Amino acid sequence: MTDALVVEAAAALRKAAESGVPCAPVREILGTADDIDIAYAVQDHNTVLAVASGRRISGRKIGVTSKAVMDQIGVDQPDFGTLFVDMEYGDGIEIEAGRLIQPRAEAEVAIVLEHDLDRGEHSFNDIIAATAYALPSIEVVDSRVAGWDIRIVDTVADNASCGVYVLGGRPVPLDRVDLRAVPMSMRIDGEEVSTGEGAACLGHPLHAARWLADTMCARGTPLKAGDVVMTGALGPMHPLSGGETVVADLGDLGAVSTHVQPRPEDPS
């Protein structure tokens, strides 16, 4: 029965993604709002299908790492999702109209790994030693669940509410930036809508990366060299309706921007 519910919930999320029409919370299918194991089973099911269809994994994202985002969506612990190459945009590249259903932008620190993180339990220094460089990034999160009516089970099952992500183009070695103190200002069409700093992400973006490295090892899928790790929001998310330009400035780490194309029905 549990396996059947996992397949049913996974199918509902895929249908929502393909049709652009959000679905009801999958906790209603799964019969639980807090069983994270069954939620990851749903996520894993859809990840396996995505890889089988030819999509390539580019890394992982950590979700719900800041108190501001926890308060926004009513979730009280971090989670992770899978990034795919077709989700990645370079600095300044537009995001196509209709790509997302209920997008919200957030600014964060991305790191790219030079070495595998496969030691099971990792030290803070292990994360530093394995990191090639950091980049400023914008994650445009999305939910296949109608009205963002989510609990931890819904967001985990929905690939940690992954949408797309945008990476800055100037890699910065860790010895040239203090990620804990890095400031963040995110502007939409010139208006500042979110502020924060590196410490808002579980105390330090690399603490978040360490949590992810240990979690992925425990699940038998360690982080690998070349993986992008989106370490989590540094401030509140902001909704997007289409047609906006988003710019995130992360101080010494640099800035990154994207434009979300307006939906066909939007006059802009």
Side-chain angles (χ1 to χ4, degrees), residues 225-255:
D227 279 353
V228 176
V229 176
M230 299 287 287
T231 59
L234 304 186
M237 306 180 293
H238 195 278
L240 301 172
S241 58
E244 300 98 334
T245 295
V246 185
V247 179
D249 188 333
L250 276 72
D252 291 342
L253 194 57

Side-chain angles (χ1 to χ4, degrees), residues 172-254:
V172 179
L174 294 187
D175 63 359
R176 297 185 186 176
V177 62
D178 181 353
L179 293 184
R180 185 176 187 275
V182 71
M184 181 278 289
S185 171
M186 185 174 72
R187 295 180 178 273
I188 295 180
D189 292 338
E191 178 184 356
E192 187 174 68
V193 297
S194 181
T195 61
E197 60 182 5
C201 179
L202 294 187
H204 194 301
L206 296 186
H207 290 326
R210 180 182 181 183
W211 171 85
L212 179 66
D214 289 355
T215 299
M216 298 310 296
C217 280
R219 295 181 60 81
T221 51
L223 296 171
K224 299 294 186 182
D227 279 353
V228 176
V229 176
M230 299 287 287
T231 59
L234 304 186
M237 306 180 293
H238 195 278
L240 301 172
S241 58
E244 300 98 334
T245 295
V246 185
V247 179
D249 188 333
L250 276 72
D252 291 342
L253 194 57

Side-chain angles (χ1 to χ4, degrees), residues 39-40 42-44 46-47 55 57-65 77-84 87 108 139 141 144 152 154-163 165 211-212 215-216 219 221 223 227-232:
Y40 277 119
V42 175
Q43 183 187 134
D44 291 346
N46 279 338
T47 299
R55 297 178 74 190
I57 293 173
S58 57
R60 310 284 175 172
K61 68 152 281 186
I62 311 167
V64 205
T65 54
Q77 58 187 295
D79 61 10
F80 72 86
T82 300
L83 302 176
F84 293 92
M87 292 178 174
E108 54 194 89
E139 184 181 2
V141 296
R144 272 55 64 176
I152 188 67
D154 301 293
T155 188
V156 167
D158 191 21
N159 199 25
S161 302
C162 282
Y165 64 101
W211 171 85
L212 179 66
T215 299
M216 298 310 296
R219 295 181 60 81
T221 51
L223 296 171
D227 279 353
V228 176
V229 176
M230 299 287 287
T231 59

Side-chain angles (χ1 to χ4, degrees), residues 64-86:
V64 205
T65 54
S66 80
K67 182 66 163 56
V69 173
M70 289 181 184
D71 291 344
Q72 274 186 300
I73 64 175
V75 172
D76 62 358
Q77 58 187 295
D79 61 10
F80 72 86
T82 300
L83 302 176
F84 293 92
V85 170
D86 58 23

Side-chain angles (χ1 to χ4, degrees), residues 9-10 12-13 23-32 42 145 153-154 157-158:
L13 292 167
C23 62
V26 295
R27 64 181 182 272
E28 296 177 2
I29 296 173
L30 299 173
T32 177
V42 175
V145 176
V153 160
D154 301 293
D158 191 21

